[in-house]
Amino acid sequence: MNHSEKSMDTIIAYTKRKGFVYQGSEIYDGLAGVYDFGPHGAVLLNNLKDYFRKKTVQEKRDFFEIDSAMFKNPAVWDASGHTSGFSDPLADCRVCQNRIRVDKELEKVGIEADEKMTDKEINTLFDSKRDEIKCYKCGSTDFSEARSFNLLVKSNLGDFTAEGSDPVYLPGEACQGIYLNYKNVVDSLHPKIPFGIAQIGKAFRNEISPRQFLFRTREFEQADTQYFVKPGTNKDHFDKIRQERFDWYLDLGVNKDNLQWSQHDNLVFYASDAWDIEYNYPSYGYDEVEGVHDRTDYDLSQHTKHSGVDLSFNDNGEKFIPYIIETSMGMGRLFLAVLSEAYDEEEVGTEEKSDVRVVLRLKPFLSPVQIAILPLMKKDGLSEMALDIYRELNSQFRCTYDESGSVGKRYRRADEVGTKWCVTVDYESKEDATVTVRERDSMEQVRMPISELDNYFTEQIKQSYT
Ligand SMILES: [Zn+2]
């Protein structure tokens, strides 16, 4: 099917039906903006993370991965600007008490607004459009003034007093853990500059109206890299990193035609340049999956100032605060992009009888299941033979064993979750130790000795990385 024919509703229903994504706390009517990954989804998510580690850390000589704690000293979020500047402008409907995000509502009526504006700026715009902005619940246009609501999620960790002190927040973004450990990494591993630190970590935002499935959630994961460079060299590194990050999506099998760059018009005051990689999500259209930012020396300068610890780098006697090129990808957004890209419905019927197969065209290194092993019949020792092959291959590849229903039905089940190959054991197998290997996308079948399966799949998966 064409990409333009795909709909997010279909994909959301598919992810639930096939065990990729479930609404969080579903048996209790769910919790808005929170999702759980099911058996197939968890494997796909982990495969995406593994590939991120492979490309950004393992294949580089100048990159390290860390895993920082989520709880951080409250002072971190003052230094990062999150306690003061991390907010959405909200207004209350005076009729039904529903809350709206004023900047988003202004955008819908053609006014450029964003969450970085002051309350005064937002309210001036809001007042000019009051007749046009209606409550999406009750239709009223009677709203309070817009006020900023902080997006940080508080915890009560260590709060044993009635009044409380500074709350310990859950991370508003994962990357702060990298800045906090920059000095530790320098002191313990003595990297030369430039060098990078990567991290996959959770982040939380008190979104007023989480929506668009995995696209905007209250709990999410970010895969970040921070590249520490000498001031003045940042532009060159920035261009190179931008190219690398774009290529990453092509390596995952995303079509170039569904990706685009978008440069930020309104840069935050310290940033030197910022671009987003946008994916053409079914039903939603182009939106950000990853940001690439030239953040100058802002982050380490802020933490130097607030912590009192000198975070400058000593490069053979020359001291400076490194500039940072940041890449930050939303794992949920990546997951949704890769799944949307791979999802396909294909007409495979005849003139008399139409038939559609759902097939997830994932590269085999990403597929939750790589190989399905199917005995033609359960009897005559075929099951035993197939189970032997399953046990042998399953130590190296992600395999499943399926003996229920017709072979045709089993092929469909395999296609639907992206299984790249089906190995069928039949009566001939008992005679000459060969099996049929069917490939998912072409549906072509070849006969192959059982002894060659291991090498064949190893080679095919290796090739799929490029
Ligand atoms: Zn209302």
Side-chain angles (χ1 to χ4, degrees):
M1 76 198 297
N2 271 328
H3 189 73
S4 59
E5 294 167 336
K6 296 179 186 177
S7 98
M8 196 52 85
D9 285 346
T10 309
I11 287 168
I12 292 170
Y14 163 84
T15 60
K16 182 177 179 195
R17 189 173 74 245
K18 301 313 292 183
F20 282 86
V21 183
Y22 307 126
Q23 173 68 57
S25 317
E26 191 173 359
I27 60 169
Y28 291 98
D29 290 335
L31 180 65
V34 180
Y35 292 92
D36 296 339
F37 290 91
H40 287 134
V43 180
L44 175 56
L45 185 66
N46 283 329
N47 293 343
L48 289 166
K49 289 180 191 175
D50 286 349
Y51 193 60
F52 175 78
R53 295 190 167 106
K54 175 176 155 64
K55 296 303 275 190
T56 59
V57 183
Q58 189 189 328
E59 290 183 3
K60 301 211 166 159
R61 292 177 59 202
D62 58 354
F63 250 91
F64 308 96
E65 183 185 359
I66 62 158
D67 187 350
S68 67
M70 278 199 264
F71 289 130
K72 292 170 171 67
N73 188 304
V76 170
W77 304 107
D78 287 334
S80 69
H82 282 76
T83 45
S84 55
F86 187 56
S87 55
D88 282 342
L90 306 181
D92 297 331
C93 169
R94 287 206 172 101
V95 176
C96 77
Q97 275 70 51
N98 178 36
R99 275 198 177 149
I100 59 159
R101 232 185 107 170
V102 178
D103 57 330
K104 294 288 172 197
E105 294 300 324
L106 282 167
E107 277 174 19
K108 282 186 202 159
V109 296
I111 300 285
E112 278 213 25
D114 63 56
E115 72 281 358
K116 292 184 210 93
M117 291 175 167
T118 63
D119 283 4
K120 196 162 170 243
E121 287 168 330
I122 279 279
N123 275 308
T124 307
L125 294 173
F126 190 25
D127 288 342
S128 74
K129 288 282 170 186
R130 288 231 173 211
D131 311 340
E132 289 177 49
I133 296 175
K134 292 194 174 68
C135 171
Y136 62 84
K137 282 208 172 139
C138 75
S140 160
T141 56
D142 188 11
F143 289 103
S144 69
E145 283 206 329
R147 282 174 301 151
S148 296
F149 280 81
N150 196 279
L151 296 173
L152 284 174
V153 177
K154 285 174 197 161
S155 80
N156 70 343
L157 185 79
D159 178 8
F160 304 113
T161 61
E163 298 79 30
S165 47
D166 279 347
V168 173
Y169 295 100
L170 292 175
E173 59 182 18
C175 64
Q176 291 298 325
I178 297 182
Y179 309 137
L180 300 182
N181 286 289
Y182 148 84
K183 190 177 186 306
N184 283 333
V185 172
V186 168
D187 291 347
S188 56
L189 294 165
H190 314 291
K192 289 200 178 79
I193 204 151
F195 71 94
I197 301 177
Q199 177 177 242
I200 300 174
K202 286 227 169 180
F204 301 82
R205 286 182 193 179
N206 217 350
E207 294 272 357
I208 182 73
S209 55
R211 66 203 176 283
Q212 294 182 315
F213 193 41
L214 296 178
F215 192 81
R216 198 175 303 282
T217 52
R218 286 171 165 159
E219 172 179 345
F220 55 99
E221 240 173 344
Q222 294 178 305
D224 298 325
T225 71
Q226 309 281 335
Y227 201 51
F228 300 89
V229 309
K230 205 170 165 175
T233 66
N234 44 312
K235 174 83 180 101
D236 289 344
H237 288 298
F238 187 71
D239 292 342
K240 193 167 154 262
I241 288 170
R242 267 186 60 199
Q243 189 59 51
E244 273 181 19
R245 293 311 303 159
F246 195 85
D247 291 346
W248 143 274
Y249 293 89
L250 308 183
D251 291 347
L252 289 173
V254 178
N255 189 327
K256 183 160 69 43
D257 297 339
N258 292 326
L259 291 166
Q260 69 181 22
W261 281 109
S262 162
Q263 188 173 23
H264 291 205
D265 301 327
N266 305 323
L267 285 174
V268 278
F269 68 92
Y270 52 80
S272 149
D273 203 358
W275 292 73
D276 290 339
I277 298 173
E278 296 184 337
Y279 176 71
N280 186 14
Y281 291 93
S283 308
Y284 303 161
Y286 279 100
D287 218 329
E288 179 189 354
V289 57
E290 171 163 356
V292 184
H293 313 129
D294 182 346
R295 296 181 59 87
T296 69
D297 62 0
Y298 178 75
D299 304 288
L300 292 181
S301 296
Q302 281 294 102
H303 283 302
T304 295
K305 198 166 93 192
H306 284 254
S307 68
V309 176
D310 180 9
L311 297 179
S312 57
F313 189 89
N314 189 336
D315 186 22
N316 296 315
E318 189 191 349
K319 277 181 76 179
F320 52 83
I321 300 263
Y323 273 35
I324 289 178
I325 314 295
E326 169 186 71
T327 73
S328 183
M329 173 173 65
M331 284 308 302
R333 293 181 181 197
L334 172 72
F335 182 97
L336 194 53
V338 167
L339 207 71
S340 300
E341 192 71 17
Y343 181 86
D344 196 9
E345 291 170 13
E346 186 180 44
E347 180 64 55
V348 288
T350 55
E351 259 179 54
E352 295 82 53
K353 194 168 171 276
S354 83
D355 191 9
V356 174
R357 75 163 180 149
V358 172
V359 49
L360 197 65
R361 300 189 192 279
L362 288 172
K363 288 200 169 193
F365 71 88
L366 291 177
S367 289
V369 180
Q370 295 169 312
I371 308 163
I373 294 108
L374 325 169
L376 184 67
M377 300 283 181
K378 283 187 230 177
K379 55 186 185 187
D380 302 328
L382 296 184
S383 289
E384 288 75 8
M385 196 171 176
L387 274 169
D388 280 346
I389 297 174
Y390 167 75
R391 283 187 207 103
E392 177 71 26
L393 293 177
N394 200 37
S395 63
Q396 278 218 64
F397 310 100
R398 293 184 292 277
C399 299
T400 181
Y401 173 83
D402 187 359
E403 59 174 24
S404 65
S406 70
V407 169
K409 284 225 172 73
R410 283 182 265 166
Y411 282 162
R412 290 298 174 78
R413 273 203 293 271
D415 293 341
E416 213 175 351
V417 296
T419 310
K420 180 71 169 165
W421 300 282
C422 288
V423 172
T424 307
V425 177
D426 54 23
Y427 288 102
E428 220 182 309
S429 308
K430 284 172 66 175
E431 306 297 320
D432 60 2
T434 65
V435 287
T436 300
V437 177
R438 173 203 183 255
E439 197 272 335
R440 177 193 67 204
D441 301 321
S442 64
M443 296 188 277
E444 272 169 21
Q445 306 190 8
V446 292
R447 201 74 196 172
M448 197 178 292
I450 294 166
S451 59
E452 282 177 21
L453 291 175
D454 197 323
N455 279 341
Y456 176 75
F457 294 133
T458 302
E459 194 51 40
Q460 291 286 313
I461 289 167
K462 211 166 128 190
Q463 281 174 22
S464 77
Y465 277 103
T466 49

